[in-house]
């Protein structure tokens, strides 16, 4: 038995040695890893407490070389899903959805991230007058995200789309003529959007569960 324990420790040492810091999750998975260069890597969980009236929240997702990458989820401190955001190179990219306390979408955003490692970037821009036709545009890279695509706003009571805006590289299209909240919009056949699949899966998976703390696994380099 003693030799089994020694062998297990020797096997785990190389894995631990590659991280400057980390924590162990309740399922034994390694979270919040910091590599020897001080960069965040892999799955992470951030917690922000309520302060000065600002609502606290938790967010979870993955880092690649200290930059947020892929899908990130944001929860209230009570465990309710608040947002689903997508990142590339550490910046918002693609669709972002924000939810009310009932789990319904109240705003959908669309973003375009630029690769901060490039001075210029080439992107495809859809022709407003000819939907489905795209042209390539070379733009100076500011190393950030810009509004790009369709933004939808929803009536929190009915779940109907009440306002739509379209952006191209941060500039709103002149022919948007966005609607405003009111009976006129609702009477024009506004579309009601069901709860996203991610919300339904989250509610089913976490029904009746309580959040559990994780234990610190810092190796103190």
């Amino acid at each position: 038995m003693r030799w089994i324990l020694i062998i297990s420790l020797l096997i785990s040492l190389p894995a631990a040695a590659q991280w400057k810091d980390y924590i162990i999750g309740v399922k034994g998975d390694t979270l919040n890893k910091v590599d020897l260069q001080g960069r965040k890597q892999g799955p992470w969980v951030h917690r922000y407490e309520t302060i000065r009236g600002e609502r606290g929240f938790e967010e979870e997702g993955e880092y690649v070389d200290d930059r947020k990458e892929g899908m990130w989820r944001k929860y209230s401190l009570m465990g309710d899903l608040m947002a689903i955001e997508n990142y590339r190179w550490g910046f918002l990219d693609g669709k972002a959805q924000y939810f009310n306390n009932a789990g319904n979408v109240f705003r959908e955003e669309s973003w375009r991230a630029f690769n901060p490692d490039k001075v210029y970037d080439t992107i495809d821009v859809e022709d407003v007058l000819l939907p489905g036709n795209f042209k390539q545009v070379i733009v100076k890279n500011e190393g950030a995200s810009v509004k790009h695509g369709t933004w939808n706003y929803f009536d929190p009571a009915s779940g109907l789309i009440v306002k739509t805006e379209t952006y191209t590289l941060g500039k709103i299209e002149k022919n948007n003529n966005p609607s405003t909240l009111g009976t006129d919009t609702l009477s024009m056949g506004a579309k009601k959007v069901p709860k996203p699949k991610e919300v339904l899966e989250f509610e089913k998976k976490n029904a009746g569960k309580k959040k559990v703390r994780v234990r610190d696994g810092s190796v103190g380099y």
Side-chain angles (χ1 to χ4, degrees), residues 9 28 48 53-54 78 85 130 135 150-151 159 170 172 175 192 196 204 206:
L9 286 172
Y48 303 93
E54 293 293 330
M78 299 298 292
E85 299 172 327
L130 298 171
K135 59 181 179 180
T150 302
W151 284 47
I172 192 168
N175 65 341
K192 184 173 183 179
K204 181 178 179 181
N206 294 275

Side-chain angles (χ1 to χ4, degrees), residues 93-123:
D93 185 73
K95 182 183 290 186
Q97 296 177 305
Y98 299 89
F99 308 90
N100 60 20
N101 292 334
N104 297 316
V105 180
F106 68 84
R107 187 174 74 253
E108 284 183 344
E109 302 176 352
S110 185
W111 294 88
R112 174 61 161 83
F114 293 97
N115 186 345
D117 300 325
K118 294 183 178 180
V119 177
Y120 292 91
D121 202 350
T122 302
I123 66 171

Side-chain angles (χ1 to χ4, degrees), residues 151-164:
W151 284 47
N152 292 317
Y153 299 82
F154 302 82
D155 175 18
S158 66
L160 300 175
I161 296 177
V162 295
K163 182 178 178 180
T164 298

Side-chain angles (χ1 to χ4, degrees), residues 1 10 59 86 100 118 126 168 178 180 184 207:
M1 179 63 70
L10 290 175
E59 61 177 356
N86 288 280
N100 60 20
K118 294 183 178 180
E126 187 172 16
T168 301
T180 56
D184 290 344

Side-chain angles (χ1 to χ4, degrees), residues 47-64:
R47 180 181 176 91
Y48 303 93
E49 301 295 340
T50 301
I51 184 171
R52 298 188 185 92
E54 293 293 330
R55 186 181 180 188
F57 63 91
E58 287 188 350
E59 61 177 356
E60 62 181 31
E62 294 208 7
Y63 278 97
V64 175

Side-chain angles (χ1 to χ4, degrees), residues 13 15 19 28 64 79 105 131 147 168 194 208 215:
L13 279 175
W19 305 117
V64 175
V105 180
K147 296 178 179 181
T168 301
R215 56 190 177 89

